[in-house]
Amino acid sequence: MSFSDIWLYIKSDYYRYYGGDIQQLKKGGVKITLKIWKLALSPINKSFQFTFWLRLAQHKNPFYFLARLVYWHLSTKYQVHLSRHSKIGYAFKIAHFTPMVINWKTEFGDNCTVFQFCSVGSVSGGAAKFGNNVYIGPHASIVGEVNIGNNVTIGAGSVVTKDIPDNATVVGAPARIVSLEPKNYVTYYWTT
C-alpha cells in the first residue's frame, strides 16, 4: 500500500470526526494536511490521534517506525487494544476514547463507529467481520466468528454471539433483533 493510499484512509477518518467538504478533503492540499498533522501531534482529540497513528503503523511508509512507537504508547496509556493487524475500512471512528479490546483478526467495513468499553473477542480463533455503516454502542460485546451485516446498529450493552443481517438493530444479552429498518446513527458517510 502506498503512502497516498494510507493518507486517503487517514483523511476518511478525519472526515468521520470533523465533517467538511468531502470533495475538497479528497483533493487534499497543504492546509488540510497541516490540520491533520496538528491533530495527530496533540491530544485535542485522542480518538483521532490514536486512529491516525494506527493507520500509519499498519503499513510500511516513511513514518512507519515512529508510528509504531506512538501507536504502542497510546494503546498502552489508554488501554485501547485495537491491533495494527486488524483490517479496517475507510472512515473508522472511535466515538469515546476509553478502554476497549478488539481481537486482531477483526475486520471492519467502511464508516464503522465503535463506542467506549467495546469488546470484540474470539472463541475458536476467528473474529467478527463487520459490514459497512455499523454502529457499535457502549459496552457491547461481540463474541466469536460472527458476520455483522451492513447498516447494523448494536445497542449499548448487547452481547452478540450470532450473525446479524443487514439493516438490523439488536439489543440485549444475548442480542436479539428489534428492528430490520436501518437506523441513521452513523454520520458523515465516506464514499470512495
Side-chain angles (χ1 to χ4, degrees), residues 8-67:
L8 186 59
Y9 277 97
I10 291 169
K11 288 193 292 188
S12 73
D13 297 338
Y14 172 86
Y15 179 71
R16 281 300 310 287
Y17 285 98
Y18 298 103
D21 181 349
I22 193 169
Q23 296 306 322
Q24 186 177 12
L25 187 61
K26 284 182 179 182
K27 288 182 203 169
V30 175
K31 187 175 180 181
I32 192 66
T33 299
L34 291 174
K35 194 172 193 178
I36 290 173
W37 274 102
K38 179 181 175 185
L39 289 166
L41 295 171
S42 70
I44 293 170
N45 183 334
K46 293 180 199 117
S47 298
F48 178 75
Q49 183 185 36
F50 176 81
T51 306
F52 175 92
W53 292 106
L54 169 68
R55 293 288 195 187
L56 285 180
Q58 286 184 310
H59 304 283
K60 296 283 184 183
N61 63 78
F63 303 99
Y64 179 69
F65 294 106
L66 172 64

Side-chain angles (χ1 to χ4, degrees), residues 62-174:
F63 303 99
Y64 179 69
F65 294 106
L66 172 64
R68 286 186 63 183
L69 285 172
V70 175
Y71 155 77
W72 176 83
H73 168 73
L74 294 172
S75 179
T76 304
K77 180 177 181 180
Y78 297 112
Q79 297 300 301
V80 174
H81 301 284
L82 173 56
S83 175
R84 63 188 184 85
H85 300 290
S86 294
K87 293 180 182 173
I88 303 171
Y90 289 100
F92 184 73
K93 181 178 181 181
I94 300 172
H96 295 288
F97 199 64
T98 56
M100 63 179 63
V101 178
I102 298 176
N103 186 287
W104 71 276
K105 291 183 180 178
T106 301
E107 296 180 20
F108 289 99
D110 298 338
N111 300 307
C112 287
T113 303
V114 179
F115 273 78
Q116 67 268 24
F117 303 110
C118 178
S119 177
V120 181
S122 174
V123 177
S124 60
K129 292 182 180 163
F130 295 89
N132 298 326
N133 312 320
V134 175
Y135 171 98
I136 306 167
H139 295 274
S141 295
I142 297 90
V143 183
E145 199 168 345
V146 295
N147 292 306
I148 311 298
N150 297 316
N151 307 308
V152 167
T153 300
I154 300 173
S158 297
V159 178
V160 177
T161 58
K162 296 179 181 173
D163 292 354
I164 301 174
D166 289 350
N167 305 318
T169 297
V170 298
V171 298

